[in-house]
């Protein structure tokens, strides 16, 4: 079979970490760029959230976090955002969803440095460096855990899900969204992820296909993305960055638009009578690693095709 770039998962494992460290350094002074996701456009019958002026420019990226976080009530909750990137999502959820405390956990050291500079002084919002597959937190610390468009970079999905389960309180929610791999049947990929979540201990999982909303988000945000790429990256790198950013015309965008890949949103609950995760007693060094019953609103969101996360 002839080689096709769309059959290769470029942004994975150590390559992904290198890429995000490099981008974090390159954009270290672009403090207005606070998100790194494909964005989300609500269906016409669902009113979009009212945003503060400072959030309007990256509306579609913020709306992806809004859709994911809205699957449960986070008011007064302690929430962990794994793969927090440039911190825009953690900041958005903390401010708009009224969390008691929001912690962003990110592997890329330069991204954590950026977040600590940009969000310094925001009460209840903090950032910590850590590996998603070996989280630097104790058992049952969080009421909810979020993971938005990040897990496709992780070498060991099962280890990641085991860690999420461990740090959640019984009855806690895992609010999770990502896209299927660039090769293979997207329906089979969905089944594989659902099975992995249930093996990790989560109760029956709700899943929503939000691919069409992602496609529209990329289309609506095309002008801004293209402008930022043209202004901030050398000519010879723009094609690769456009691919990473999923701009219309890239093969990643075409995969979504033409049905070769799905973008899925999951709603998972750690059972109230959850058993401890065997063999996962924590032991931390003095330095960080470098480099319930479903709520009615949640069940409605997870079963409504109009919401795509």
């Amino acid at each position: 079979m002839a080689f096709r770039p769309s059959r290769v998962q470029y942004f994975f494992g150590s390559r992904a970490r290198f890429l995000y460290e490099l981008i974090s350094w390159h954009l270290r002074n672009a403090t207005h760029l606070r998100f790194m996701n494909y964005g989300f456009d609500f269906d016409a019958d669902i009113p979009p959230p009212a945003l503060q002026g400072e959030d309007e420019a990256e509306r579609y990226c913020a709306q992806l976090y809004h859709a994911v976080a809205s699957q449960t009530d986070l008011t007064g909750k302690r929430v962990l955002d794994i793969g927090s990137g440039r911190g825009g999502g953690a900041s958005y959820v903390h401010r708009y969803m009224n969390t008691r405390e929001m912690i962003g956990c990110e592997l890329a050291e330069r991204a954590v440095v950026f977040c600590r500079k940009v969000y310094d002084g925001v009460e209840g919002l903090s950032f910590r460096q850590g590996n998603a597959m070996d989280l630097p937190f104790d058992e049952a610390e969080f009421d909810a855990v979020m993971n938005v468009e990040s897990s496709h970079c992780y070498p060991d999905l099962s280890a990641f899900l085991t860690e999420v389960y461990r740090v959640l309180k019984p009855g806690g929610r895992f609010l999770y969204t990502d896209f299927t791999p660039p090769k293979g049947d997207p329906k089979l990929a969905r089944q594989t992820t659902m099975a992995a979540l249930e093996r990790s201990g989560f109760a029956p999982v709700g899943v929503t296909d939000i691919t069409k909303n992602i496609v529209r988000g990329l289309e609506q945000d095309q002008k801004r993305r293209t402008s930022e790429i043209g202004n901030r990256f050398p000519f010879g790198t723009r094609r690769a960055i456009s691919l990473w950013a999923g701009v219309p015309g890239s093969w990643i965008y075409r995969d979504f638009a033409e049905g070769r890949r799905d973008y899925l949103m999951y709603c998972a609950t750690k059972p109230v009578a959850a058993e401890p995760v065997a063999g996962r007693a924590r032991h931390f060094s003095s330095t960080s690693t470098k480099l319930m019953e479903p709520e009615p609103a949640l069940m409605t969101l997870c079963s409504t095709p109009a919401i795509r996360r």
Side-chain angles (χ1 to χ4, degrees):
M1 180 180 293
F3 172 79
R4 289 176 55 197
S6 60
R7 294 185 179 276
V8 179
Q9 190 169 356
Y10 288 110
F11 311 126
F12 182 76
S14 60
R15 287 195 301 270
R17 181 177 184 178
F18 175 79
L19 173 69
Y20 288 113
E21 290 282 12
L22 181 62
I23 288 176
S24 295
W25 176 84
H26 185 73
L27 299 178
R28 62 195 181 279
N29 295 320
T31 56
H32 67 292
L33 297 177
R34 302 187 179 187
F35 290 87
M36 292 191 296
N37 67 59
Y38 289 153
F40 177 97
D41 185 32
F42 286 97
D43 287 342
D45 60 340
I46 299 176
L51 301 184
Q52 299 172 10
E54 64 181 9
D55 300 315
E56 190 62 47
E58 294 183 285
R59 165 174 283 278
Y60 296 100
C61 292
Q63 286 183 171
L64 179 56
Y65 267 87
H66 190 99
V68 176
S70 296
Q71 294 178 101
T72 191
D73 183 4
L74 296 177
T75 302
K77 303 295 179 61
R78 189 168 192 251
V79 183
L80 174 65
D81 181 24
I82 302 173
S84 51
R86 295 172 71 80
S91 171
Y92 178 90
V93 172
H94 183 57
R95 290 180 292 119
Y96 286 81
M97 306 297 179
N98 300 310
T99 65
R100 173 171 59 87
E101 183 181 8
M102 168 66 77
I103 299 177
C105 184
E106 167 63 40
L107 182 62
E109 183 176 8
R110 289 186 177 92
V112 176
V113 171
F114 174 88
C115 290
R116 288 174 175 170
K117 176 180 71 174
V118 170
Y119 308 104
D120 180 49
V122 178
E123 185 176 357
L125 177 63
S126 63
F127 295 88
R128 184 166 179 177
Q129 187 182 21
N131 189 325
M133 295 167 291
D134 188 18
L135 293 170
F137 303 102
D138 290 324
E139 293 183 10
E141 280 202 43
F142 297 96
D143 301 295
V145 172
M146 300 186 65
N147 185 255
V148 175
E149 202 174 297
S150 179
S151 69
H152 62 275
C153 297
Y154 304 163
D156 190 338
L157 180 64
S158 293
F160 162 59
L161 296 179
T162 297
E163 283 293 89
V164 172
Y165 186 90
R166 183 183 63 78
V167 302
L168 270 174
K169 296 177 181 178
R173 299 295 169 82
F174 180 34
L175 312 175
Y176 172 42
T177 191
D178 212 339
F179 46 83
T180 59
K183 54 185 177 181
D185 182 354
K187 300 300 183 287
L188 178 59
R190 175 196 299 206
Q191 294 170 7
T192 300
T193 300
M194 293 279 284
L197 283 160
E198 292 180 5
R199 281 197 307 273
S200 298
F202 289 100
V205 180
V207 59
T208 306
D209 187 334
I210 58 174
T211 311
K212 291 181 180 179
N213 306 78
I214 298 294
V215 169
R216 291 203 308 269
L218 287 168
E219 292 169 348
Q220 295 289 341
D221 206 23
Q222 178 179 10
K223 182 177 180 180
R224 182 189 69 87
R225 290 172 185 258
T226 302
S227 176
E228 291 288 356
I229 291 169
N231 290 336
R232 299 184 181 281
F233 291 92
F235 179 79
T237 67
R238 291 174 191 167
R239 182 177 180 182
I241 295 297
S242 294
L243 167 64
W244 171 74
V247 298
S250 67
W251 61 258
I252 288 179
Y253 167 83
R254 294 197 305 271
D255 276 359
F256 291 141
E258 297 168 11
R260 287 185 293 275
R261 302 171 78 172
D262 289 343
Y263 201 117
L264 304 169
M265 179 173 71
Y266 299 89
C267 320
T269 303
K270 181 174 180 176
V272 174
E275 293 293 331
V277 180
R280 297 300 297 174
R282 306 306 293 166
H283 52 281
F284 301 116
S285 64
S286 59
T287 57
S288 63
T289 303
K290 290 195 174 184
L291 308 113
M292 215 190 237
E293 292 295 318
E295 299 171 8
L298 173 65
M299 297 308 295
T300 299
L301 184 64
C302 288
S303 63
T304 303
I307 302 292
R308 57 150 181 109
R309 271 306 180 258

